[in-house]
Amino acid sequence: MSKSKKIWIPAIIALLTAAVLVVCYYIYAHAKGEFHPHPAQGGNGAIPKGEIHRPDGEDSTLSGYFSTFGTIAVFLGAAGFSWFWFKKKRKSPSMLVRQAGKLFYSLHKLLGWATFILVAAHGIYFLFTKIHDENIYSGLAGFAILLALAGYGYFINKVRNNWMRTVHRTLGVLWVPVLWLHAGGSAIIATAATIAVGCLVYLLEKSASNAKQTVQEH
């Protein structure tokens, strides 16, 4: 199996791209009031550039749907990442942890691709409807990392390299702060839920180990 560190190159490119986009986000957010002012309340009713208007509230309805896609994707991504807590627990003293580990293992790839598809749909919609929104930059930063994450996930069993899983896991971790920046509260809640799963696994294993030790002592 190869130990070449060149396998990191696509990930580094994705991370540098994401970093540039995050910088653009902060620059554009700071300058937005000067270059792309929104009409004041009670103004002439003009629509901000880059946004598509549809009658009868169709635009807000669609926007709500595609925003929901993004929120669902965040939680699906968190569920997929939760496999990390179970990856070395196939011989766990807790039967519940072992069974949950099998479930997460079977769903990990499905959750990953579902996350990718929903994020892509969410992003494409807002690229066309809110191209001048500063959140486009943070969204593209997140997508750059997600694209690399999906790529490594796809090739993880096809490219025999010792670093593949490490790169994949590192991208997953580094995706989180970009999600916080872009999605805000929902991303923070999803992260907290993922950490809670890890804590629950620890408690279940500790409880099972203590119970097993008690039985052996008697």
Side-chain angles (χ1 to χ4, degrees), residues 189-207:
I189 293 171
T191 303
T194 304
I195 294 172
V197 170
C199 293
L200 182 60
V201 169
Y202 172 77
L203 292 173
L204 287 171
E205 285 203 306
K206 187 174 181 179
S207 176

mmCIF file of all heavy atoms in Angstrom, residues 189-207:
data_model
loop_
_atom_site.group_PDB
_atom_site.id
_atom_site.type_symbol
_atom_site.label_atom_id
_atom_site.label_comp_id
_atom_site.label_asym_id
_atom_site.label_seq_id
_atom_site.Cartn_x
_atom_site.Cartn_y
_atom_site.Cartn_z
ATOM 1 N N ILE A 189 -26.072 23.230 16.391
ATOM 2 C CA ILE A 189 -26.906 22.196 17.007
ATOM 3 C C ILE A 189 -26.513 20.809 16.497
ATOM 4 O O ILE A 189 -26.416 19.845 17.271
ATOM 5 C CB ILE A 189 -28.393 22.467 16.722
ATOM 6 C CG1 ILE A 189 -28.849 23.741 17.437
ATOM 7 C CG2 ILE A 189 -29.258 21.282 17.150
ATOM 8 C CD1 ILE A 189 -30.234 24.206 17.039
ATOM 9 N N ALA A 190 -26.258 20.712 15.177
ATOM 10 C CA ALA A 190 -25.859 19.426 14.594
ATOM 11 C C ALA A 190 -24.523 18.964 15.174
ATOM 12 O O ALA A 190 -24.338 17.773 15.461
ATOM 13 C CB ALA A 190 -25.763 19.549 13.074
ATOM 14 N N THR A 191 -23.596 19.903 15.365
ATOM 15 C CA THR A 191 -22.295 19.563 15.954
ATOM 16 C C THR A 191 -22.469 19.079 17.392
ATOM 17 O O THR A 191 -21.861 18.084 17.813
ATOM 18 C CB THR A 191 -21.358 20.782 15.928
ATOM 19 O OG1 THR A 191 -21.217 21.249 14.585
ATOM 20 C CG2 THR A 191 -19.984 20.428 16.480
ATOM 21 N N ALA A 192 -23.307 19.803 18.147
ATOM 22 C CA ALA A 192 -23.571 19.410 19.535
ATOM 23 C C ALA A 192 -24.190 18.015 19.594
ATOM 24 O O ALA A 192 -23.851 17.204 20.471
ATOM 25 C CB ALA A 192 -24.493 20.431 20.200
ATOM 26 N N ALA A 193 -25.089 17.718 18.644
ATOM 27 C CA ALA A 193 -25.722 16.399 18.612
ATOM 28 C C ALA A 193 -24.690 15.309 18.322
ATOM 29 O O ALA A 193 -24.733 14.219 18.914
ATOM 30 C CB ALA A 193 -26.824 16.372 17.556
ATOM 31 N N THR A 194 -23.753 15.599 17.422
ATOM 32 C CA THR A 194 -22.700 14.639 17.096
ATOM 33 C C THR A 194 -21.815 14.359 18.309
ATOM 34 O O THR A 194 -21.463 13.209 18.598
ATOM 35 C CB THR A 194 -21.831 15.165 15.939
ATOM 36 O OG1 THR A 194 -22.665 15.458 14.815
ATOM 37 C CG2 THR A 194 -20.790 14.142 15.522
ATOM 38 N N ILE A 195 -21.448 15.426 19.036
ATOM 39 C CA ILE A 195 -20.643 15.270 20.247
ATOM 40 C C ILE A 195 -21.419 14.480 21.301
ATOM 41 O O ILE A 195 -20.863 13.630 22.003
ATOM 42 C CB ILE A 195 -20.224 16.648 20.791
ATOM 43 C CG1 ILE A 195 -19.280 17.335 19.801
ATOM 44 C CG2 ILE A 195 -19.555 16.520 22.160
ATOM 45 C CD1 ILE A 195 -18.959 18.775 20.144
ATOM 46 N N ALA A 196 -22.732 14.742 21.379
ATOM 47 C CA ALA A 196 -23.582 14.026 22.334
ATOM 48 C C ALA A 196 -23.594 12.530 22.031
ATOM 49 O O ALA A 196 -23.603 11.692 22.949
ATOM 50 C CB ALA A 196 -24.993 14.588 22.305
ATOM 51 N N VAL A 197 -23.589 12.178 20.745
ATOM 52 C CA VAL A 197 -23.539 10.759 20.366
ATOM 53 C C VAL A 197 -22.248 10.128 20.871
ATOM 54 O O VAL A 197 -22.239 9.021 21.420
ATOM 55 C CB VAL A 197 -23.655 10.591 18.835
ATOM 56 C CG1 VAL A 197 -23.358 9.147 18.424
ATOM 57 C CG2 VAL A 197 -25.044 10.982 18.360
ATOM 58 N N GLY A 198 -21.140 10.858 20.709
ATOM 59 C CA GLY A 198 -19.863 10.362 21.202
ATOM 60 C C GLY A 198 -19.865 10.154 22.710
ATOM 61 O O GLY A 198 -19.353 9.149 23.214
ATOM 62 N N CYS A 199 -20.448 11.091 23.427
ATOM 63 C CA CYS A 199 -20.545 10.972 24.887
ATOM 64 C C CYS A 199 -21.417 9.786 25.279
ATOM 65 O O CYS A 199 -21.101 9.055 26.236
ATOM 66 C CB CYS A 199 -21.117 12.261 25.485
ATOM 67 S SG CYS A 199 -20.034 13.700 25.320
ATOM 68 N N LEU A 200 -22.508 9.584 24.545
ATOM 69 C CA LEU A 200 -23.404 8.466 24.828
ATOM 70 C C LEU A 200 -22.698 7.128 24.607
ATOM 71 O O LEU A 200 -22.861 6.188 25.394
ATOM 72 C CB LEU A 200 -24.652 8.563 23.944
ATOM 73 C CG LEU A 200 -25.718 7.490 24.155
ATOM 74 C CD1 LEU A 200 -26.241 7.513 25.588
ATOM 75 C CD2 LEU A 200 -26.875 7.682 23.166
ATOM 76 N N VAL A 201 -21.916 7.047 23.537
ATOM 77 C CA VAL A 201 -21.146 5.826 23.267
ATOM 78 C C VAL A 201 -20.198 5.536 24.429
ATOM 79 O O VAL A 201 -20.096 4.398 24.901
ATOM 80 C CB VAL A 201 -20.351 5.969 21.950
ATOM 81 C CG1 VAL A 201 -19.334 4.830 21.807
ATOM 82 C CG2 VAL A 201 -21.294 5.963 20.760
ATOM 83 N N TYR A 202 -19.523 6.580 24.898
ATOM 84 C CA TYR A 202 -18.592 6.416 26.031
ATOM 85 C C TYR A 202 -19.325 5.909 27.275
ATOM 86 O O TYR A 202 -18.868 4.976 27.946
ATOM 87 C CB TYR A 202 -17.915 7.744 26.323
ATOM 88 C CG TYR A 202 -17.088 7.749 27.592
ATOM 89 C CD1 TYR A 202 -15.823 7.162 27.630
ATOM 90 C CD2 TYR A 202 -17.599 8.315 28.770
ATOM 91 C CE1 TYR A 202 -15.086 7.148 28.801
ATOM 92 C CE2 TYR A 202 -16.859 8.310 29.945
ATOM 93 C CZ TYR A 202 -15.604 7.722 29.954
ATOM 94 O OH TYR A 202 -14.875 7.711 31.107
ATOM 95 N N LEU A 203 -20.474 6.509 27.577
ATOM 96 C CA LEU A 203 -21.233 6.113 28.771
ATOM 97 C C LEU A 203 -21.763 4.687 28.663
ATOM 98 O O LEU A 203 -21.734 3.927 29.635
ATOM 99 C CB LEU A 203 -22.386 7.095 28.996
ATOM 100 C CG LEU A 203 -21.982 8.518 29.398
ATOM 101 C CD1 LEU A 203 -23.202 9.432 29.429
ATOM 102 C CD2 LEU A 203 -21.281 8.513 30.753
ATOM 103 N N LEU A 204 -22.240 4.315 27.476
ATOM 104 C CA LEU A 204 -22.754 2.958 27.279
ATOM 105 C C LEU A 204 -21.643 1.927 27.433
ATOM 106 O O LEU A 204 -21.839 0.873 28.051
ATOM 107 C CB LEU A 204 -23.400 2.842 25.894
ATOM 108 C CG LEU A 204 -24.754 3.535 25.715
ATOM 109 C CD1 LEU A 204 -25.168 3.531 24.252
ATOM 110 C CD2 LEU A 204 -25.825 2.863 26.575
ATOM 111 N N GLU A 205 -20.487 2.242 26.881
ATOM 112 C CA GLU A 205 -19.364 1.306 26.997
ATOM 113 C C GLU A 205 -18.881 1.192 28.439
ATOM 114 O O GLU A 205 -18.573 0.086 28.913
ATOM 115 C CB GLU A 205 -18.213 1.772 26.098
ATOM 116 C CG GLU A 205 -18.453 1.516 24.633
ATOM 117 C CD GLU A 205 -17.162 1.446 23.853
ATOM 118 O OE1 GLU A 205 -16.365 2.397 23.943
ATOM 119 O OE2 GLU A 205 -16.954 0.439 23.158
ATOM 120 N N LYS A 206 -18.825 2.319 29.111
ATOM 121 C CA LYS A 206 -18.378 2.293 30.511
ATOM 122 C C LYS A 206 -19.348 1.500 31.373
ATOM 123 O O LYS A 206 -18.933 0.698 32.220
ATOM 124 C CB LYS A 206 -18.252 3.729 31.029
ATOM 125 C CG LYS A 206 -17.641 3.819 32.421
ATOM 126 C CD LYS A 206 -17.410 5.258 32.833
ATOM 127 C CE LYS A 206 -16.768 5.326 34.222
ATOM 128 N NZ LYS A 206 -16.511 6.726 34.650
ATOM 129 N N SER A 207 -20.646 1.698 31.134
ATOM 130 C CA SER A 207 -21.662 0.977 31.884
ATOM 131 C C SER A 207 -21.579 -0.524 31.616
ATOM 132 O O SER A 207 -21.656 -1.347 32.538
ATOM 133 C CB SER A 207 -23.053 1.501 31.515
ATOM 134 O OG SER A 207 -24.060 0.768 32.155
#
